[in-house]
């Protein structure tokens, strides 16, 4: 070992991939066999999407996109992400999430949506001339069932980046040292497919304050994750969600690990109206025929998930009876339901009180 020098070869960068892609485009354009519908900005986005692939893998992905329909267009970037999915599948601990949830499918939360919109495209080279570092991540906490996980899925669609989910429970192994190595391997894989979004759902379940019953494994896992969050420089955005953020250690929440901590409260009336419209439209029901302001009076204190289930139950009831959905269906189901804000009143109030002065509100206004 003393006589051997170790050389590490990095994966190809943006310029190398752009050079490869430009050469392939020119070769196919000269032959007139492929229709090229990309601008210079599109080529740069393709090159960034291919980061984490070897030149051989990138060439295969570009070739597949070209020969599939004899054209190369912006929507063919999905081929690049499919190549990355194969890398993630082989890692085992990570899960590549293919989501069709759009940011418009999330009702309300305008403050958080604006924050995300301002940071879109921040991983591109055009942002480097302003000396802007890529965002590290966001922690979204709040009342269960108010759209935190749905929003994490929507970020991938809005930013056109692959969404990779880290299941902390799958990190822990049965042998000493296995858990730490599993986490390091998962983080290396996540970095290899960057720029991408690493989604850690219900992060408090894996990194909450714990005792000493596990021999310190959870503490070592947590320390490894903290160091990585602080030192990572690749374009990997961490989207974490938590129901009980008060259970998380202070060192995970502080600035430098996450760019911001947002709190998602129970939706107010305007947000509830928007959520009703979204779920009715998703099931081909014309929301304009309903007096939703009247329905909202029966759903005070409801979460977005409870509103969705109300709509599903109403549509199901109408379909079984072979008729159109009417406003009374929603009112009847709402009157019989007991929301989480009442069954778990003390816990919900504890979550809301903790976040009152400790987190940024995800909505423009809050529910009283």
């Amino acid at each position: 070992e003393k006589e051997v020098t170790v050389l590490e070869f990095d994966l190809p960068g943006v310029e190398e991939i752009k050079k490869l892609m430009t050469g392939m485009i020119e070769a196919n354009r000269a032959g007139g066999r492929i229709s090229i519908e990309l601008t210079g900005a599109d080529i740069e986005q393709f090159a960034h999407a291919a980061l984490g692939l070897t030149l051989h893998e990138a060439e295969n992905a570009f070739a597949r996109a070209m020969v599939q329909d004899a054209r190369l267009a912006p929507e063919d970037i999905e081929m690049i992400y499919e190549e990355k999915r194969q890398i993630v599948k082989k890692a085992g601990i990570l899960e590549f999430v293919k989501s069709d949830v759009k940011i418009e499918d999330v009702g309300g939360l305008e403050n958080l949506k604006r924050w995300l919109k301002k940071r879109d495209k921040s991983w591109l080279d055009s942002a480097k001339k302003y000396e802007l570092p890529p965002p590290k991540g966001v922690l979204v906490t709040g009342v269960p069932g108010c759209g935190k996980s749905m929003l994490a899925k929507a970020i991938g669609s809005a930013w056109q980046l692959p969404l990779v989910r880290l299941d902390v429970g799958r990190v822990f192994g049965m042998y000493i040292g296995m858990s730490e190595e599993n986490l390091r391997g998962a983080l290396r894989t996540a970095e290899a497919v960057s720029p991408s979004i690493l989604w850690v759902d219900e992060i408090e379940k894996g990194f909450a304050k714990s005792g000493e019953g596990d021999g310190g494994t959870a503490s070592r896992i947590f320390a490894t994750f903290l160091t990585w969050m602080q030192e990572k420089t690749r374009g990997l955005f961490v989207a974490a969600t938590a129901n009980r953020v008060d259970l998380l250690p202070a060192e995970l929440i502080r600035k430098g690990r996450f760019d911001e901590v947002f709190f998602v409260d129970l939706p107010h009336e305007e947000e509830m109206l928007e959520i009703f419209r979204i779920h009715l439209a998703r099931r081909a029901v014309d929301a304009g025929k309903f007096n939703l302001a009247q329905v909202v009076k029966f759903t005070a204190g409801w979460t977005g998930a409870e509103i969705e289930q109300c709509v599903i139950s109403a549509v199901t009831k109408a379909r079984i009876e072979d008729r159109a959905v009417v406003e009374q269906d929603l009112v009847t189901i709402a009157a019989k339901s007991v929301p989480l804000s009442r069954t778990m009143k003390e816990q919900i109030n504890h979550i809301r009180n903790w976040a009152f002065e400790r987190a940024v509100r995800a909505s423009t206004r809050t529910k009283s």
Side-chain angles (χ1 to χ4, degrees):
E1 292 181 356
K2 294 180 180 180
E3 303 299 328
V4 175
T5 300
V6 178
L7 299 178
E8 293 188 5
F9 289 88
D10 292 330
L11 290 166
V14 173
E15 292 304 319
E16 290 178 270
I17 296 174
K18 283 173 66 175
K19 184 178 179 181
L20 168 68
M21 188 176 185
T22 302
M24 295 178 67
I25 288 174
E26 290 175 353
N28 284 279
R29 181 179 283 153
R33 299 184 299 271
I34 303 294
S35 173
I36 306 299
E37 303 173 15
L38 299 180
T39 64
D42 292 330
I43 293 176
E44 182 183 352
Q45 192 161 2
F46 266 73
H48 277 272
L51 286 174
L53 303 179
T54 65
L55 284 178
H56 181 67
E57 291 169 336
E59 184 178 8
N60 283 342
F62 295 149
R64 285 174 56 201
M66 290 178 180
V67 302
Q68 185 180 30
D69 52 6
R71 61 192 284 268
L72 188 60
E75 57 267 21
D76 290 324
I77 198 171
E78 182 62 28
M79 287 287 186
I80 314 302
Y81 295 147
E82 178 58 35
E83 198 71 33
K84 288 189 171 184
R85 288 188 188 102
Q86 296 301 318
I87 296 175
V88 172
K89 284 179 182 178
K90 294 170 185 175
I93 296 174
L94 298 174
E95 175 189 359
F96 207 110
V97 180
K98 189 173 182 179
S99 172
D100 57 355
V101 178
K102 298 178 181 178
I103 200 74
E104 297 81 15
D105 296 333
V106 182
L109 312 184
E110 296 304 322
N111 278 346
L112 179 49
K113 288 179 181 178
R114 274 197 297 271
W115 188 90
L116 292 170
K117 187 175 182 180
K118 289 178 181 178
R119 284 151 182 81
D120 191 9
K121 305 272 190 304
S122 57
W123 60 89
L124 297 179
D125 289 339
S126 55
K128 292 182 180 179
K129 63 181 179 181
Y130 300 107
E131 298 296 328
L132 294 175
K136 287 179 175 290
V138 62
L139 174 60
V140 184
T141 180
V143 180
C146 286
K148 299 185 296 297
S149 298
M150 187 178 183
L151 184 73
K153 295 178 182 178
I155 298 174
S157 301
W159 288 3
Q160 289 188 309
L161 289 177
L163 180 66
V164 182
R165 181 174 178 267
L166 171 64
D167 185 350
V168 181
R170 298 172 67 180
V171 169
F172 291 89
M174 61 188 301
Y175 299 111
I176 296 176
M178 181 183 291
S179 303
E180 296 89 326
E181 183 56 34
N182 285 343
L183 180 62
R184 284 191 288 267
L187 296 178
R188 282 195 299 268
T189 302
E191 288 182 335
V193 298
S194 63
S196 59
I197 298 167
L198 182 66
W199 173 28
V200 188
D201 201 23
E202 298 189 0
I203 191 172
E204 78 274 20
K205 300 294 192 300
F207 295 130
K209 303 167 188 174
S210 59
E212 301 178 355
D214 61 353
T217 301
S219 299
R220 293 193 297 271
I221 289 288
F222 177 62
T224 300
F225 188 77
L226 279 184
T227 303
W228 175 80
M229 282 284 293
Q230 183 68 35
E231 302 298 328
K232 69 183 178 69
T233 57
R234 304 285 292 271
L236 190 62
F237 184 85
V238 179
T241 67
N243 292 322
R244 293 287 307 276
V245 71
D246 57 307
L247 297 179
L248 290 171
E251 52 269 39
L252 179 62
I253 308 172
R254 73 164 178 81
K255 295 288 186 180
R257 301 276 163 54
F258 291 103
D259 296 306
E260 198 61 84
V261 178
F262 283 94
F263 175 70
V264 180
D265 202 351
L266 292 168
H268 53 72
E269 288 186 10
E270 293 177 9
E271 291 179 328
M272 293 174 76
L273 289 171
E274 185 180 354
I275 295 169
F276 265 114
R277 294 190 190 103
I278 288 172
H279 289 298
L280 287 169
R282 187 177 295 173
R283 289 155 186 88
V285 178
D286 184 5
K289 298 179 180 179
F290 295 81
N291 182 5
L292 292 179
Q294 183 68 25
V295 178
V296 164
K297 294 180 181 179
F298 290 88
T299 58
W302 281 35
T303 65
E306 289 166 338
I307 292 174
E308 180 183 14
Q309 288 304 312
C310 177
V311 172
I312 291 174
S313 298
V315 173
T316 302
K317 182 177 184 294
R319 295 291 182 263
I320 291 174
E321 297 175 2
D322 195 22
R323 59 176 177 81
V325 186
V326 295
E327 180 183 322
Q328 188 59 40
D329 292 326
L330 296 172
V331 172
T332 301
I333 293 170
K336 295 179 180 178
S337 303
V338 181
L340 184 69
S341 59
R342 265 189 275 168
T343 57
M344 302 293 290
K345 182 178 179 179
E346 293 77 13
Q347 184 174 328
I348 298 300
N349 287 339
H350 174 73
I351 294 172
R352 297 178 72 189
N353 291 336
W354 185 94
F356 185 73
E357 295 180 348
R358 296 179 174 91
V360 178
R361 298 287 170 160
S363 301
T364 52
R365 46 172 289 210
T366 60
K367 183 176 179 63
S368 59

